[in-house]
């Protein structure tokens, strides 16, 4: 498996919101919050990859 690293640029406000979001147990179903911003980003990318696969299959 090849691992590719990406960098995400955030401003201070976005970073602050993400930190609060990670700690907000009420926001996440079953209090299953990501353990880090990296995990959150990976979940988001996985979701969009699944969405795109589904989109392309319907074409």
């Amino acid at each position: 498996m090849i691992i590719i690293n990406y960098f995400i640029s955030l401003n201070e406000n976005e970073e602050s919101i993400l930190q609060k979001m990670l700690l907000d147990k009420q926001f996440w179903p079953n209090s299953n919050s990501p353990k880090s911003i990296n995990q959150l980003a990976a979940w988001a990318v996985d979701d969009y990859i699944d969405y795109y696969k589904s989109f392309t299959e319907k074409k």
Side-chain angles (χ1 to χ4, degrees):
M1 168 164 52
I2 297 173
I3 297 176
I4 300 171
N5 292 312
Y6 292 93
F7 294 95
I8 300 170
S9 297
L10 303 172
N11 64 38
E12 288 181 24
N13 185 52
E14 293 166 334
E15 172 67 17
S16 174
I17 292 169
L18 282 178
Q19 291 297 334
K20 288 176 186 176
M21 185 171 55
L22 287 175
L23 298 173
D24 188 349
K25 299 297 182 191
Q26 293 179 348
F27 178 74
W28 300 99
N30 301 322
S31 297
N32 186 25
S33 63
K35 306 300 180 238
S36 66
I37 290 177
N38 285 341
Q39 187 177 27
L40 176 62
W43 287 0
V45 169
D46 288 345
D47 286 348
Y48 274 100
I49 287 172
D50 288 344
Y51 175 78
Y52 184 71
K53 285 179 183 177
S54 177
F55 172 79
T56 58
E57 290 170 359
K58 294 176 184 175
K59 281 185 164 182

